[in-house]
């Protein structure tokens, strides 16, 4: 009898040359480079070029100059309720963008770069419009990378270089992670020979779910409840006794270590300065690891990427509801690389289901 694989757990759906997610030894490679190495090696745009083209770029990658939002996108963003989630606004904006920019199959690296130029501008415009402010002048974003533009379009001010560098590192760390749910959703869409914008709209829809897009904001909420390093141990002991989980620890694939957490921790340390909240996160981490080891001696529950993502994103001055949209912008690099790879393979993704419903005999 055919065996079903709910959640496709353990199923090798295809081959890829884009990234290796190695949970056993705690490694993440983009095109053969360790993630820890890439964070210090160059900019997010260079990582995007690496993911799209397969090799580290010799020169500056071709991020197009910022351009005014298409009129239809501007009008759509203005028509959305101010209480809409920024991630929903981004999904809607990408859908309109795909129409007016005539994004068609097959995907092309130029479409990817245009998307990465568009997304921070659209998100920033929505973030401002919902607060009753006008979107900022596109020309003011000149010379900035994707991370710098995200901060600029939201705040209206040229970003602090340290915050820009930190967000750039976060974008690099979040750029790609194998056949995760949003990337796989995009590959299914592209495999039907649908266009890149449709694939990215589907991917954003998948990322929106709390099991995927995650919530560095939940880490932030727990730290806020602890209040101080002195109170942290008691707070965590009580939470664990109630059967609650410490957010930012443990991972389904990475057992010994999550290499993304290590990379972001360094960034958080550089950014922390004398910011009390960031220092609290660093003081709480070893206490949390000790308590988790006491409680689960047979299971490794390392610090995961969400813990330091929270520290970095907060340090950049973004509000918590702009964290998951930042993750979406970062992951657009991986989505686009997978769209190119999927289109090259050209094989329709169409698994089968094992039917366990009634037969005509049962219906007699
Ligand atoms: N705090 C306390 N206990 C934990 C934690 C945690 N963070 N993580 C796992 N455990 C415990 C569970 O309670 C369970 O205990 P039990 O056997 O006594 O019931 C045991 O460890 C195994 O739990 P599973 O859920 O089976 O472990 P798994 O490794 O599959 O789960 C997960 C991974 C979901 C990330 C989990 O560690 C968790 O809930 N962490 C907190 C939420 C979080 O940080 N999520 C972000 C993950 S990173 C990302 O997705 C991008």
């Amino acid at each position: 009898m055919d065996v079903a694989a709910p959640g496709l757990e353990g199923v090798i759906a295809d081959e890829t040359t884009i990234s290796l997610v190695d949970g056993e030894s705690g490694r993440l490679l983009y095109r053969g480079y360790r993630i820890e190495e890439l964070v210090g090696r160059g900019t997010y745009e260079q990582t995007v070029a690496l993911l799209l083209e397969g090799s580290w770029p010799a020169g500056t990658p071709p991020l197009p100059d910022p351009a005014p939002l298409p009129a239809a996108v501007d009008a759509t963003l203005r028509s959305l309720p101010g209480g809409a989630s920024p991630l929903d606004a981004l999904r809607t904006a990408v859908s309109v963008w795909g129409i007016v920019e005539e994004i068609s199959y097959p995907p092309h690296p130029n479409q990817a770069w245009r998307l990465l130029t568009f997304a921070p501008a659209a998100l920033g415009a929505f973030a401002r419009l919902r607060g009753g402010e006008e979107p900022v002048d596109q020309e003011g974003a000149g010379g900035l990378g994707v991370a710098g533009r995200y901060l600029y379009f939201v705040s209206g001010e040229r970003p602090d270089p340290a915050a820009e560098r930190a967000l750039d590192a976060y974008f690099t760390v979040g750029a790609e992670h194998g056949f995760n749910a949003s990337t796989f959703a995009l590959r299914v869409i592209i495999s039907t020979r649908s266009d890149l914008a449709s694939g990215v709209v589907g991917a954003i829809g998948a990322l929106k779910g709390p099991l995927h897009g995650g919530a560095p904001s939940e880490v932030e909420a727990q730290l806020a409840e602890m209040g101080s390093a002195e109170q942290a141990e008691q707070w965590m002991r009580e939470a664990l006794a109630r059967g609650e989980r410490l957010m930012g620890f443990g991972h389904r694939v990475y057992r010994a270590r999550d290499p993304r957490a290590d990379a972001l921790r360094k960034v958080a340390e550089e950014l922390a300065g004398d910011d009390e909240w960031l220092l609290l996160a660093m003081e709480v981490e070893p206490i949390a690891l000790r308590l988790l080891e006491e409680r689960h001696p047979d299971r490794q529950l390392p610090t995961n990427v969400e813990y330091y993502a929270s520290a970095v994103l907060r340090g950049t001055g973004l509000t918590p509801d702009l964290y998951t949209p930042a993750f979406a912008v970062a992951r657009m690099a991986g989505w686009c690389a997978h769209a190119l790879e999927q289109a090259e393979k050209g094989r329709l993704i169409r698994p089968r289901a094992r039917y366990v419903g009634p037969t005509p005999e049962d219906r007699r």
Side-chain angles (χ1 to χ4, degrees):
M1 195 201 296
D2 293 339
V3 179
L8 300 184
E9 213 162 327
V11 172
I12 307 289
D14 206 338
E15 295 179 341
T16 181
T17 61
I18 300 170
S19 68
L20 169 69
V21 182
D22 177 357
E24 285 305 312
S25 51
R27 274 191 312 164
L28 170 60
L29 308 181
Y30 293 175
R31 302 280 193 190
Y33 293 93
R34 286 181 189 278
I35 188 64
E36 299 90 326
E37 185 193 340
L38 287 172
V39 169
R41 186 183 172 109
T43 61
Y44 171 70
E45 290 72 36
Q46 287 171 294
T47 294
V48 175
L50 172 69
L51 291 169
L52 294 178
E53 313 283 356
S55 55
W56 189 257
T60 309
L63 185 64
D65 287 336
L69 289 177
V73 173
D74 184 76
T76 302
L77 292 177
R78 287 176 192 278
S79 72
L80 297 177
S85 95
L87 196 64
D88 285 344
L90 177 66
R91 190 195 59 222
T92 304
V94 172
S95 185
V96 178
W97 172 83
I99 297 169
V100 296
E101 294 288 308
E102 299 181 358
I103 302 298
S104 60
Y105 186 88
H108 188 278
N110 280 343
Q111 295 175 347
W113 290 110
R114 283 159 63 198
L115 176 69
L116 280 165
T117 304
F118 167 76
L123 267 168
F126 179 72
R128 295 181 68 78
L129 286 167
R130 68 178 176 165
E133 293 177 292
E134 276 301 299
V136 289
D137 179 13
Q138 307 285 321
E139 274 134 41
L144 295 173
V146 178
R149 289 183 189 185
Y150 190 53
L151 295 172
Y152 168 75
F153 284 126
V154 169
S155 72
E157 287 164 18
R158 294 287 287 191
D160 166 56
E164 185 186 354
R165 269 199 312 279
L167 190 64
D168 188 275
Y170 168 78
F171 276 17
T172 299
V173 168
E176 160 61 9
H177 211 227
F179 274 27
N180 56 81
S182 60
T183 301
F184 194 65
L186 168 132
R187 287 190 73 129
V188 170
I189 293 169
I190 298 296
S191 82
T192 69
R193 302 199 179 164
S194 184
D195 62 280
L196 180 69
S198 299
V200 170
V201 167
I204 295 172
L207 189 75
K208 182 181 169 185
L211 293 188
H212 183 16
S217 46
E218 286 186 46
V219 174
E220 194 170 317
Q222 284 197 343
L223 285 168
E225 279 185 44
M226 291 175 210
S228 70
E230 293 68 44
Q231 290 162 9
E233 177 154 352
Q234 197 188 342
W235 188 97
M236 288 190 281
R237 278 193 188 284
E238 287 171 7
L240 289 171
R242 287 193 299 270
E244 290 174 15
R245 294 188 177 204
L246 303 182
M247 304 310 287
F249 297 91
H251 193 273
R252 175 60 59 85
V253 180
Y254 295 120
R255 287 299 176 207
R257 68 188 278 267
D258 179 342
R260 302 168 301 170
D262 290 350
L264 280 188
R265 185 197 155 105
K266 285 206 189 92
V267 178
E269 280 171 351
E270 277 171 26
L271 191 65
D274 53 3
D275 182 304
E276 281 179 20
W277 193 90
L278 291 172
L279 291 174
L280 173 65
M282 288 193 265
E283 281 173 350
V284 166
E285 184 192 8
I287 307 172
L289 290 172
R290 175 166 52 82
L291 296 183
L292 285 169
E293 202 182 337
E294 267 175 32
R295 199 167 178 89
H296 296 283
D298 302 331
R299 192 175 190 91
Q300 287 176 300
L301 295 169
T303 313
N304 67 45
V305 67
E306 302 277 6
Y307 193 76
Y308 283 108
S310 147
V312 171
L313 290 168
R314 185 184 162 107
T316 65
L318 291 170
T319 53
D321 66 350
L322 292 172
Y323 292 177
T324 307
F327 182 19
V329 175
R331 186 53 60 84
M332 281 179 184
W335 291 338
C336 292
H338 280 274
L340 295 171
E341 189 177 72
Q342 183 60 45
E344 208 165 289
K345 288 178 187 271
R347 187 79 183 151
L348 176 70
I349 298 174
R350 204 311 187 182
R352 287 168 48 226
R354 186 153 69 84
Y355 180 67
V356 293
T359 61
E361 289 70 32
D362 295 326
R363 291 296 184 205
R364 267 193 212 121

